Amino acid sequence: MFVCGWDGGGTKTQVLCLDAHGERLAEGVFGPLNLNGADSARVVETVRAGVAFMAGQLGGLSACAQLVIGTAGVSNEEAVCLLTEAVRAAGYSGGLMLLGDQEIALAGAVEGPGAVLVAGTGSICCGRNETGRTVRVGGYGYLIDDEGSGYALGRDILTAVVRAEDGRCGSTVLTEKVHRVLGTADVRSMVTWLYAPKTGKKEIAALAPLLLEAIAEGDEASVRIADKAARELAALAVAAWRELGLEKGELALAGSILMRYPCIREGVRRRCQEACPQMTVIAPRGSAVQGAARLAYEHMKEGTVCHG
């Protein structure tokens, strides 16, 4: 008997199987699973590969008591139907749960009451209190939300460049850096790049690392961008904390922005602990795929196997 957890992303899907004692049995990496970033054919291909990997474990698919899949987009009923049908068509008939990626991140990141704050291409906070109640704050997408994310940093970098061009603020070293990366010569050509059909949120988010270069050079506009990101991300965590009525607990900081941008991470830490003095800010205790596998194991142990 074993259980399995999947962390389905836009570029790769991590799969972790645990044995009947909750110990690591096998681990694999496959293609994209997030329907927000991959077409349905590739998602179905990933599902087939993941299920085939599970079938290769001792006892085969019939020995898998519970599968938990975490990925973005599960609030979309069509996405849920496609994933469910793909898993069943691949031959798996056991327990199945489809969860948001923030839910498996929370399960892996903290033990007991607390929250996980994730800032990557997007941003979101998910928390849980002593009674098991969960809340999510943010994560509404780049068009109206995702402040403090890689996309928001890239957007604010471009904003700083055009504001400097117009004389609405002082000059910034970001201007030269953006033109160097994009191969543009002026703001006009930069704006042409920005509004071209092939330019999306990932391309804008890819500009975010320029912020670290500019901050190292003492650029004031870049410092303001980082401070804004820290303020917005801390607001997500504090809102979740207060909504859950938490006093003590852990806040795990996850995602590429919080891991790779010390100025933003420390700004978030300081603001959160000022607002919630008994909050303990930590690095995630475990990964999202470990969280998915842990949830699958808990359902098996509790005898609450769920069939999607």
Side-chain angles (χ1 to χ4, degrees):
M1 189 73 70
F2 68 94
V3 298
C4 194
W6 294 15
D7 175 19
T11 57
K12 67 178 181 179
T13 296
Q14 293 180 285
V15 174
L16 174 62
C17 297
L18 303 180
D19 65 20
H21 304 289
E23 300 296 326
R24 180 188 177 280
L25 179 63
E27 194 166 359
V29 179
F30 304 95
L33 198 71
N34 182 350
L35 282 164
N36 293 333
D39 62 54
S40 58
R42 290 202 68 192
V43 168
V44 170
E45 181 182 335
T46 298
V47 169
R48 288 173 178 164
V51 173
F53 177 77
M54 292 163 54
Q57 307 310 311
L58 184 64
L61 291 178
S62 62
C64 183
Q66 181 71 54
L67 168 61
V68 171
I69 298 177
T71 186
V74 294
S75 58
N76 183 324
E77 188 175 340
E78 291 183 5
V80 171
C81 288
L82 186 146
L83 287 172
T84 301
E85 290 173 3
V87 169
R88 299 309 188 197
Y92 177 69
S93 59
L96 174 63
M97 290 180 66
L98 300 181
L99 302 174
D101 51 359
Q102 78 279 0
E103 295 177 83
I104 62 170
L106 174 63
V110 300
E111 295 178 358
V116 61
L117 176 63
V118 184
T121 303
S123 62
I124 192 170
C125 185
C126 184
R128 174 185 60 235
N129 66 14
E130 296 88 343
T131 68
R133 177 179 170 235
T134 62
V135 300
R136 60 168 278 180
V137 178
Y140 297 106
Y142 74 103
L143 289 177
I144 60 172
D145 198 19
D146 282 353
E147 293 297 336
S149 67
Y151 168 81
L153 294 181
R155 178 202 62 206
D156 288 352
I157 287 170
L158 295 172
T159 298
V161 171
V162 297
R163 288 175 64 85
E165 174 74 8
D166 288 347
R168 286 182 277 168
C169 63
S171 62
T172 171
V173 299
L174 290 169
T175 299
E176 179 276 327
K177 294 180 184 300
V178 167
H179 290 322
R180 168 172 52 83
V181 169
L182 298 184
T184 52
D186 49 35
V187 165
R188 183 176 179 179
S189 55
M190 183 194 81
V191 172
T192 298
W193 170 86
L194 176 62
Y195 290 102
K198 66 180 180 179
T199 302
K201 65 178 181 179
K202 289 183 180 179
E203 287 73 25
I204 295 171
L207 296 173
L210 297 178
L211 196 68
L212 291 178
E213 294 181 23
I215 288 173
E217 295 173 26
D219 183 64
E220 292 184 5
S222 299
V223 171
R224 288 194 296 270
I225 291 171
D227 186 68
K228 174 189 174 185
R231 183 174 65 253
E232 294 288 351
L233 289 171
L236 294 177
V238 171
W241 207 259
R242 289 175 174 167
E243 175 63 23
L244 288 167
L246 290 172
E247 293 184 4
K248 297 180 179 179
E250 296 176 337
L251 173 69
L253 304 184
S256 58
I257 300 304
L258 288 167
M259 293 297 99
R260 301 174 188 170
Y261 294 69
C263 53
I264 296 176
R265 181 174 64 250
E266 292 310 309
V268 170
R269 182 191 303 273
R270 175 173 54 80
R271 286 176 168 85
C272 285
Q273 293 186 322
E274 285 174 355
C276 309
Q278 296 188 72
M279 175 191 290
T280 303
V281 181
I282 65 168
R285 292 183 177 275
S287 65
V289 71
Q290 288 173 324
R294 177 186 297 173
L295 290 171
Y297 181 74
E298 288 174 356
H299 279 283
M300 181 188 73
K301 293 292 286 183
E302 293 169 2
T304 56
V305 172
C306 300
H307 289 265

